[in-house]
Amino acid sequence: MPLISVNTAAALIRQHLPDWGTEIVSLSTLHPRILAEPILSDRPYPPIDRIMMDGIALNWQHYDAGQRTFPILGTVAAGDVPPPLSDPSACFEVMTGAALPQGCDLVIPYEALEIKEGIASIRHPEPWLPYQFVHRCGSDAPAGAVILPAGTPLHSPAWGILASVGHTQVRVKRYPRTQLIATGNELVAPEQTPNPHQLRLSNTYALAAALQRQGYSQVSLTHLPDDPQRLAQHYQAASQTHDLLIYCGGVSKGKFDYLPQLWQQQGVQQYIHGVAQRPGKPLWFGIDHQRQTAVFGLPGNPVSSLVCLHRYLLETPVLYARLAAPVHFEKPLAYFLPVKLETTQNAELVAHPRPMQNSGDFLALADSDGFVELPAEQQAFAAGECYRYIPWS
């Protein structure tokens, strides 16, 4: 098959990736998730006229008429049920967060006051308006308003909002039951001492970390040799119990790259095999429609597999960064270039290239924050030019 563009590959994956449904999670989960339903305010927010400064609460008309000393009838703290202002020429001492007493419509902070023997005297009057220093009831949201629309990522503020409106359980998009499969006879477990011709297994750990940081909570790891029978047996079993299978290695054009033919024999519909990009050109993607299992075949080189996962599967913010140095890349391929990110005083993102020797140069990523996507149509990329930036998760 001819190579397709990065944008075409991304569109095909979006088009064919299954909808894995929704599930209910509790407030105690606190993992990154995506809302599958809108969240409505259960009451006005704030539910009271909320005092925003420590000081006194009084009747604005008396202040506007020139009154500058007010007898104090009592103190209202946050959480108190405030008594009404029985004497409109008097005041209450009030604390931040307290409810504004009925009959009061102005708060004056302590900094403008002198309080002596139960009398508050205004020493620094200003042209204050009614409801100065008051957070009005319902000004943030009326009751029944959509405060978190469906599709909202549940970051830390969103979890706090859910708690504030009493949603102890919430419906979210379900992440797929996922297995990461490293293939290759040369791989040994991380705790083992490899021979010179062997490598410690690392890809699946890097990919699992990225998935889990995005909220994928059901991720398992396994390793298989380059053996067609073992690979077929594993696929037949794993595709019954998982929604998403992500393979590392075995998808290129080598003599022992068995997976594309195996998937075809198992009835997996192929949509992608080969993308005009570096690293990650042999990317494979298909769907087992009978079992409703999505299958990704990522290249075995660790940088390639990470780049493909972040570009095509994970949901990352669309960011752009300026190159800090010129880059030349002559092949007619999109170039995913690792970079170290800097934020300038002008709030610009600047990407310092961290080029690799090759896509197996995993150690080069240690000093990188993500990668920029340089388009295939260019060969020279000048310092200061702006390109899409994708952070490692």
Side-chain angles (χ1 to χ4, degrees):
M1 293 181 63
L3 297 178
I4 63 174
S5 71
V6 168
N7 289 336
T8 299
L12 284 168
I13 291 169
R14 286 194 303 270
Q15 178 183 350
H16 295 289
L17 206 61
D19 181 350
W20 286 295
T22 64
E23 61 183 345
I24 301 292
V25 297
S26 71
L27 188 60
S28 61
T29 306
L30 301 180
H31 294 312
R33 303 303 293 263
I34 297 176
L35 272 179
E37 62 180 350
I39 301 299
L40 309 183
S41 53
D42 61 320
R43 56 178 180 167
Y45 281 88
I48 55 171
D49 282 334
R50 177 181 169 272
I51 290 164
M52 298 173 60
M53 299 283 286
D54 298 327
I56 60 172
L58 49 87
N59 183 283
W60 177 81
Q61 286 188 337
H62 280 254
Y63 173 77
D64 189 51
Q67 184 179 338
R68 295 294 180 264
T69 60
F70 295 82
I72 299 171
L73 299 182
T75 300
V76 181
D80 290 348
V81 177
L85 185 67
S86 56
D87 180 356
S89 64
C91 70
F92 287 107
E93 278 193 80
V94 291
M95 305 297 120
T96 301
L100 185 70
Q102 184 181 355
C104 298
D105 54 5
L106 173 63
V107 171
I108 297 177
Y110 278 136
E111 290 81 359
L113 302 172
E114 180 181 80
I115 296 178
K116 186 180 294 184
E117 297 180 353
I119 302 294
S121 300
I122 301 172
R123 296 304 183 193
H124 304 289
E126 304 227 3
W128 289 307
L129 300 174
Y131 294 100
Q132 194 90 27
F133 305 118
V134 176
H135 190 182
R136 295 305 308 274
C137 175
S139 60
D140 293 347
V146 175
I147 53 175
L148 293 174
T152 299
L154 289 183
H155 46 41
S156 52
W159 282 110
I161 291 169
L162 287 173
S164 72
V165 299
H167 273 264
T168 58
Q169 292 189 320
V170 63
R171 183 170 295 280
V172 297
K173 292 184 178 179
R174 186 176 76 84
Y175 283 112
R177 297 165 297 174
T178 303
Q179 185 165 91
L180 296 166
I181 306 102
T183 67
N185 298 334
E186 75 279 16
L187 301 175
V188 299
E191 63 271 16
Q192 293 182 335
T193 301
N195 293 316
H197 63 281
Q198 295 176 317
L199 297 171
R200 289 189 178 93
L201 198 158
S202 61
N203 276 10
T204 50
Y205 293 96
L207 299 175
L211 288 166
Q212 289 175 3
R213 289 190 64 174
Q214 283 240 340
Y216 288 67
S217 58
Q218 300 181 70
V219 179
S220 60
L221 283 62
T222 194
H223 169 226
L224 296 172
D226 293 319
D227 179 283
Q229 186 175 355
R230 290 278 303 278
L231 291 167
Q233 290 172 345
H234 170 270
Y235 179 80
Q236 290 167 5
S239 60
Q240 300 287 348
T241 56
H242 294 82
D243 306 301
L244 174 62
L245 298 175
I246 302 175
Y247 291 77
C248 301
V251 294
S252 191
K253 304 296 185 182
K255 190 172 182 179
F256 299 99
D257 291 322
Y258 300 116
L259 288 172
Q261 183 178 359
L262 179 151
W263 290 323
Q264 183 181 19
Q265 293 169 349
Q266 295 292 327
V268 183
Q269 174 67 54
Q270 174 185 309
Y271 293 104
I272 297 171
H273 191 194
V275 181
Q277 64 182 47
R278 177 172 288 182
K281 186 166 65 173
L283 174 69
W284 196 99
F285 168 71
I287 300 292
D288 187 329
H289 292 286
Q290 181 180 355
R291 301 177 176 92
Q292 282 299 296
T293 301
V295 180
F296 279 88
L298 308 184
N301 282 324
V303 181
S304 300
S305 63
L306 267 178
V307 162
C308 289
L309 183 83
H310 284 79
R311 179 60 178 88
Y312 297 113
L313 181 60
L314 299 185
E315 297 188 33
T316 56
V318 178
L319 303 172
Y320 291 88
R322 296 189 183 279
L323 285 176
V327 175
H328 292 271
F329 185 70
E330 296 183 358
K331 293 186 178 294
L333 305 171
Y335 184 26
F336 295 137
L337 173 67
V339 294
K340 180 73 174 179
L341 204 64
E342 174 194 5
T343 305
T344 70
Q345 291 182 340
N346 296 326
E348 284 191 326
L349 299 181
V350 178
H352 295 266
R354 295 292 186 264
M356 309 163 293
Q357 296 188 58
N358 53 63
S359 58
D361 186 9
F362 207 14
L363 300 183
L365 301 187
D367 190 37
S368 69
D369 298 308
F371 58 94
V372 290
E373 181 178 325
L374 304 180
E377 297 77 22
Q378 290 178 236
Q379 294 183 346
F381 307 90
E385 290 180 346
C386 197
Y387 298 100
R388 184 177 180 181
Y389 165 74
I390 299 176
W392 303 126
S393 54

